[in-house]
């Protein structure tokens, strides 16, 4: 019955011919593991297609939903973590396998006539794969993808003459936004995959036209072996190892969580993933007007070298020993890319909080002439950035006490020396950084300068005569009413966004550490509040803590969004409403909340509904594959013992 | 009357064939070209549009105190292609007279924090890096590289309208983003 059905089909559509065409092929020199790279790349491509299509069941290509929809897939969908992980690691594996595939083909001299078209379609496939990596990263609309897209489209903007058009074309306008997501989405899921399928077909048909090239050693060419099943089995062995490896990577090293994209946040330092590092590192060499040479010249040179290889190297010779020029160029080429990748991997672009602050304005110095040492101290005061926290005239700021009139406070020189070198000696919770590295002479100059500040600060307007200027209580400076402790408003958008604790730590240092202490542990004094100190964030109140990261984040988000006034008569410090006042973006708040959760041992990106948890799933798949490999190995040994292996065909 | 020249059958067959081939190529080319017009136009068309910052209502002018900074929040519609979101923005403003209002962006020009008004000191103070500004927006102390950014504003029938914008941070020139 099945046979008749197959016949019926075959009369109307040549199935048998297609199967014969794709499987019945003689491999010159017989099957080899070295030839499994192309099939492995094909498998990884199909895996990308499958896991990519599957992500579309959840993904929403819009700036306000893309990140959350990806995180939903990764944390709330059973085995969604694996679909996403296979796609993420599958891409990396694809690039590696293709890289080795190209190296193998080059070493074997398989790009030479008449196989130029196989080689050329492969070069175009590499270009398409790189474009897929670039467009795919942006779709997650996280910090990594957003900034990679921002930098990538800016690089397109440096192309001479048409750069401006290209940048706008890819962004869908002047700035990154909704149209950028829509464009990258269309390219990533329709245009580029369509082209890739076309190129894969061309690649395979071109391969079958002339068959495999076989070993370069003419003696080995005498023998041959069939593609099916000899080579196919070797291919599948490698593919099964690859799949288990990808499952392991997805389980043990999930794709990085960098938090929701935030165009306004200047504290994120973009650095490309490994696959573009060589280009990133090469770009460092070309600055200013030479920039297009790096951004356009290098990629063009690489492509030109690959495209022209079969036309520049036209001799028939395939033995590597007889092709010293080609092999040297190839080794230099691959070595250069590898070296640049390694250098890029080790470089740290630094965590800069936006552009460096410009030199401070000249300080309004006291009217009296300064002694030479006090003058040096004044310069030092400016260089060290003391003015950022300490005002030397007027009432001072919220960070450090005002130093106007410091010379009349009766401080001794030893007291000031200790205060400068080790502020915690005087006040355990002081947030002033210790300037222990200053020389005795420098500290002396600084003290001379401070002692010269004898002009009393002007009494603030409206203040009672004799009022002491110092740290103005934040409470009276706030413009918005702050709800009393325990009566916070509802959580905001940030509560449902999965942040990145590492980035949150940077933001925390910049915005929260002044009151909450460096790791949320210091007991910063809060005079006037009932509890006397700012509540700790590490070892947070039990009422706020929750094992479920979404609940925990929602619990603390109300405080961050709306602020909180501690209980007490006149608390000097209170939690400012950083959310409703737009002081921080919702994305930044999500990052900081992820850090606070991490301080309390809760992973904001924990998989809430894994289906099967990652590590058990990995162990299970290892066991299943190991069992099958062992079974097949035993069968193979039994066949060999019975002398069942056929001799290779000799032509 | 002269007879029309007799064309050999084989020859007429060849030119007929040449015509059919040429006509098919012309029509195929035309179909492809005309089909490509809307595709190209729709994918390139919108990319040269400039997002328009617009004026939004902040409140009645006479509700703001004379000579005293206030920090009203107001609803502002942001447009990103077809995504329109209403967000809350705030500004600092000082009403100088019945018809004169200075409006400052609430974003510190240094690194983008939100500053506040210290009523006793009569200064704007940024809590992040302690930049201090006068009521006119001048830098008095701290790292801010330029005065507070003023925003375009106009008064219509007693209502204050403000054009909300962001500017590049950390530079001495005021450059709209």
């Amino acid at each position: 019955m099945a046979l008749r059905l197959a016949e019926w089909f075959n009369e109307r559509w040549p199935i048998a011919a297609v199967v014969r065409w794709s499987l019945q092929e003689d491999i010159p020199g017989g099957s080899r593991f070295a030839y499994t790279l192309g099939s492995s790349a094909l498998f990884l491509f199909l895996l990308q297609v499958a896991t990519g299509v599957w992500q579309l069941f959840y993904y929403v290509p819009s700036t306000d939903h893309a990140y959350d929809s990806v995180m939903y897939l990764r944390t709330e969908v059973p085995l969604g973590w694996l679909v996403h992980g296979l796609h993420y690691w599958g891409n990396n594996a694809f690039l590696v396998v293709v890289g080795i595939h190209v190296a193998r083909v080059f070493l074997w001299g398989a790009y030479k006539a008449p196989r130029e078209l196989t080689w050329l379609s492969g070069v175009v496939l590499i270009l398409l794969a790189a474009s897929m990596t670039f467009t795919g990263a942006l779709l997650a609309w996280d910090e990594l993808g957003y900034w990679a897209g921002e930098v990538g489209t800016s690089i397109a903007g440096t192309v001479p003459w048409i750069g401006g058009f290209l940048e706008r074309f890819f962004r869908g306008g002047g700035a990154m936004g909704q149209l950028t997501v829509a464009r990258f989405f269309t390219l990533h899921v329709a245009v580029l995959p369509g082209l890739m399928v076309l190129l894969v077909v061309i690649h395979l048909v071109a391969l079958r036209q002339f068959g495999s090239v076989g070993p370069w050693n003419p003696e080995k060419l005498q023998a041959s072996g069939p593609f099916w099943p000899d080579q196919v089995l070797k291919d599948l062995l490698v593919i099964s190892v690859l799949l288990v490896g990808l499952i392991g990577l997805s389980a043990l090293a999930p794709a990085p969580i960098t938090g929701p994209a935030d165009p306004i946040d200047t504290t994120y330092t973009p650095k490309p993933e490994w696959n573009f590092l060589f280009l990133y590192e090469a770009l460092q060499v070309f600055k200013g007007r030479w920039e297009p040479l790096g951004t356009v010249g290098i990629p063009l040179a690489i492509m030109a070298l690959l495209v022209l290889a079969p036309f520049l190297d036209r001799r028939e010779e395939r033995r590597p020993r007889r092709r010293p020029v080609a092999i040297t160029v190839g080794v230099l080429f691959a070595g250069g890319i590898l070296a640049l990748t390694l250098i890029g991997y080790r470089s740290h672009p630094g965590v800069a909080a936006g552009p460096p602050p410009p030199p401070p304005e000249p300080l309004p110095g006291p009217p009296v002439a300064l002694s030479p040492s006090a003058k040096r101290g004044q310069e030092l005061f400016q260089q060290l950035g003391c003015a950022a926290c300490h005002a030397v005239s007027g009432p001072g700021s919220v960070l450090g006490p005002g130093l106007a009139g410091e010379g009349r406070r009766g401080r001794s020189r030893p007291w000031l020396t200790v205060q400068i070198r080790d502020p915690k000696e005087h006040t355990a919770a002081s947030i002033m950084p210790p300037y222990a590295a200053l020389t005795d002479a420098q500290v002396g100059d600084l003290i001379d300068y401070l002692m010269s500040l004898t002009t009393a600060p002007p009494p603030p307007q409206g203040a009672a005569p004799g009022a002491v200027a110092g740290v103005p209580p934040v409470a009276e400076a706030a413009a918005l009413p702050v709800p009393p402790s325990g009566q916070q408003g509802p959580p905001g958008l940030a509560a449902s966004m999965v942040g990145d604790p590492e980035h949150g730590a940077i933001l925390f240092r910049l915005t929260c550490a002044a009151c909450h202490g460096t790791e949320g542990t210091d007991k910063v004094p809060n005079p006037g509040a009932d509890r006397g100190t700012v509540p700790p964030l590490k070892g947070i109140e039990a009422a706020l803590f929750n094992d479920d990261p979404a609940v925990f984040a929602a619990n603390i988000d109300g405080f961050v969004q709306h602020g909180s006034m501690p209980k007490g008569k006149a608390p000097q410090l209170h939690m400012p409403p950083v959310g409703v006042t737009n002081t921080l973006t919702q994305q930044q708040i999500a990052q900081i909340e992820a850090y606070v959760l991490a301080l309390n041992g809760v992973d904001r990106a924990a998989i809430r509904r894994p289906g099967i948890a990652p590590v058990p799933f990995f162990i299970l798949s290892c066991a299943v594959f190991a069992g099958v490999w062992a079974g097949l190995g035993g069968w193979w040994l039994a066949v060999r013992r019975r002398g069942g292996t056929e001799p290779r065909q000799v032509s | 009357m002269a007879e029309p020249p007799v064309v050999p059958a084989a020859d007429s067959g060849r030119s007929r064939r040449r015509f059919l081939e040429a006509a098919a190529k012309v029509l195929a080319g035309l179909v492809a070209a005309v089909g490509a017009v809307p595709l190209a136009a729709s994918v390139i068309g919108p990319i040269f549009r400039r997002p328009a910052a617009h004026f939004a209502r902040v409140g009645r002018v006479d509700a703001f105190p004379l000579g005293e900074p206030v920090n009203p929040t107001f609803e502002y519609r942001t447009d990103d292609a077809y995504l329109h979101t209403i967000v809350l923005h705030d500004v600092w403003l000082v009403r100088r007279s019945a018809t004169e209002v200075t409006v400052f962006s609430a974003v510190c020009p240094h690194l983008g924090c939100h500053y506040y008004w210290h009523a006793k000191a009569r200064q704007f103070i940024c809590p992040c890096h302690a930049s201090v500004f006068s009521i006119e927006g001048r830098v008095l102390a701290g790292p801010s590289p330029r005065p507070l950014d003023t925003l375009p504003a106009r008064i219509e029938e007693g209502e204050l309208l403000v054009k909300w914008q962001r500017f590049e941070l950390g530079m001495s020139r005021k450059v709209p983003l």
Side-chain angles (χ1 to χ4, degrees), chain A residues 89-106:
Chain A
W89 281 111
N91 167 55
N92 286 315
F94 182 76
L95 295 175
V96 171
V97 167
V98 163
I100 306 173
H101 182 50
V102 173
R104 209 242 354 128
V105 166
F106 185 81

Side-chain angles (χ1 to χ4, degrees), chain A residues 62-64 165 168-169 172-174 177-179 182-183 264 266 353-355 357-358 360-361 364 387-389 395-399 460-461 463 472 476-477 479 510-511 580-583, chain B residues 42-44 46-50 71 80-83 88-90 92 110-114 116-123 125-130 139-140 142-145 166 169-170:
Chain A
S62 87
T63 52
D64 49 358
F165 171 80
R168 281 186 168 266
F169 180 82
Q178 175 54 32
L179 291 184
R183 267 158 205 253
I264 297 168
T266 54
E361 303 266 312
C389 294
S397 75
V398 278
L399 284 188
Q461 276 186 24
E476 63 181 32
L510 289 174
T511 41
V580 292
T581 57
N582 295 320
T583 300
Chain B
S42 60
V43 81
I44 294 170
I47 69 176
F48 294 106
R49 282 185 204 151
R50 295 212 170 271
N71 180 216
D80 180 7
Y82 41 83
L83 289 189
L88 274 186
H89 280 314
D90 63 326
W92 277 99
H110 176 221
L111 284 180
C113 289
H114 271 53
Y116 62 85
W117 173 248
H118 191 274
K120 278 188 184 166
R122 298 201 63 74
Q123 288 170 338
I125 297 174
C126 180
C128 291
H129 303 92
V139 182
L140 297 178
S144 178
R166 273 186 167 275
L169 299 172

